[in-house]
Amino acid sequence: MHLFYTPDIDPSHPQYFLSEEESKHAIRVLRLEIDSTVQLIDGRGGLYEAVIADAHPKRTILKITSVTTDFDKRNHYLHIAVAPTKNIERLEWFLEKATEIGIDEISLIITQRSERKEAKVDRLNKIITAAIKQSLKAYHPILNEPISLNQLLDKPFDGQKFIAHCEPGDKHALKDVLSLQGRSLILIGPEGDFSPAEIDKALQNGFKAITLGTSRLRTETAALEACFEVNFLNRV
C-alpha cells in the first residue's frame, strides 16, 4: 500500500487534500485512481487509511476511513547528539538508518575538532522523511539545527546523559548503566573525537562516560551503534 507523509492532517476532519507535489506523485507517477487505498502518517503517531475520492493531479482529495493513534509508540526516548561528518553522505546514512531502527531526536553538535561546522537541515529532514515512509514509522524524529557542544551541555535534559569517547578513563557499557524505558541523551564526537577538555566538561555536567566496544568506530557508525544498543536493550 502506498504511504504519504502528511504532517498537517487533522484527525477530526473526514477529508484531506494532498499537496500539489504529492498529488502529482500519486496520480501521475503511481497512477492511483478513484477508490485506491492509501496510508498516511502525520509524524506525531497517527496512522491513517484513506481512499481517493478525487484523483486530481494537483489537488487529490482523500476520504479518511480509519485512524490509529500512537501507532507503534516506543517505550523510551532516545536523543543522539552527533558531530556532522566531513563527508555529509555519512551523516545522511546515519540519519536514514537510525530512523529505520528508531530514534526520537537528533542534535548536530559543533566541537573543537569538528571538520564540518554546518549542515543543511532541510535536506537532512527530507532523508528522515523518506526513511519513516520506507519503514512505516508514524513518528517523525526531531532534527535540531547545528549547535555548539558547550551550548548543548548547558541545556537541561530530563533523563540520563552519556558521552562516548576514546580517551582513557573509567567507562561503562550501556547495558550496565542504561535505565530502561526512560529518556537518554548520548553524545558522539567528530572524526578526531572529543577533546579532553570537552570530555571533562561533559562529566562535570552530569554525563556518564560509556564505551561502544573495543573497535575504533567512525562517527556515524558509533552513533548508529549507540542507537541500536538503546533500542535493543529496551525491547520488550
Side-chain angles (χ1 to χ4, degrees):
M1 190 179 297
H2 299 289
L3 182 69
F4 297 89
Y5 176 51
T6 54
D8 59 339
I9 193 170
D10 184 343
S12 65
H13 287 179
Q15 285 188 333
Y16 180 77
F17 296 86
L18 282 180
S19 67
E20 183 172 347
E21 180 181 0
E22 291 281 45
S23 293
K24 181 179 179 180
H25 182 69
I27 308 307
R28 299 290 193 209
V29 179
L30 300 178
R31 299 188 181 279
L32 299 179
E33 302 174 342
I34 290 176
D35 291 334
S36 294
T37 302
V38 298
Q39 288 182 317
L40 316 172
I41 48 175
D42 61 13
R44 305 182 301 275
L47 174 67
Y48 306 74
E49 285 203 1
V51 295
I52 295 179
D54 184 4
H56 195 288
K58 290 190 175 181
R59 200 164 185 258
T60 296
I61 301 176
L62 303 177
K63 179 183 177 182
I64 308 301
T65 57
S66 70
V67 181
T68 302
T69 58
D70 296 330
F71 176 75
D72 202 21
K73 186 173 183 179
R74 288 141 46 79
N75 63 1
H76 61 284
Y77 189 95
L78 175 59
H79 179 179
I80 290 184
V82 57
T85 50
K86 182 178 180 180
N87 181 345
I88 197 64
E89 291 181 357
R90 296 189 180 278
L91 177 62
E92 293 172 353
W93 176 85
F94 161 69
L95 293 174
E96 178 184 74
K97 302 310 176 187
T99 299
E100 293 176 7
I101 292 172
I103 193 168
D104 301 283
E105 186 173 356
I106 306 105
S107 289
L108 305 178
I109 50 173
I110 309 305
T111 71
Q112 289 182 15
R113 296 172 178 171
S114 289
E115 296 188 71
R116 174 179 289 276
K117 299 185 182 298
E118 59 182 22
K120 296 180 179 179
V121 172
D122 287 346
R123 170 178 167 75
L124 296 177
N125 258 319
K126 290 180 180 179
I127 290 170
I128 292 175
T129 299
I132 67 170
K133 292 168 67 175
Q134 189 278 329
S135 55
L136 189 56
K137 303 287 187 186
Y139 290 90
H140 195 293
I142 299 167
L143 177 63
N144 297 314
E145 293 282 347
I147 185 175
S148 73
L149 175 61
N150 285 334
Q151 288 176 301
L152 184 77
L153 293 178
D154 290 336
K155 293 178 68 173
F157 179 77
D158 181 20
Q160 288 187 290
K161 301 185 293 185
F162 304 102
I163 178 171
H165 67 82
C166 300
E167 292 289 322
D170 292 333
K171 288 179 277 189
H172 305 276
L174 265 174
K175 66 182 179 62
D176 296 328
V177 291
L178 182 70
S179 295
L180 301 184
Q181 300 185 23
R183 295 170 57 86
S184 55
L185 166 60
I186 301 177
L187 305 182
I188 304 293
E191 283 88 338
D193 202 6
F194 294 110
S195 70
E198 290 173 329
I199 295 170
D200 286 343
K201 182 170 181 179
L203 297 178
Q204 292 169 12
N205 279 267
F207 285 78
K208 291 181 180 179
I210 58 170
T211 175
L212 297 174
T214 57
S215 299
R216 183 177 289 271
L217 304 176
R218 289 181 180 272
T219 293
E220 71 281 3
T221 310
L224 191 64
E225 171 65 18
C227 179
F228 173 80
E229 284 196 38
V230 172
N231 277 279
F232 178 80
L233 292 169
N234 277 285
R235 287 174 61 183
V236 177

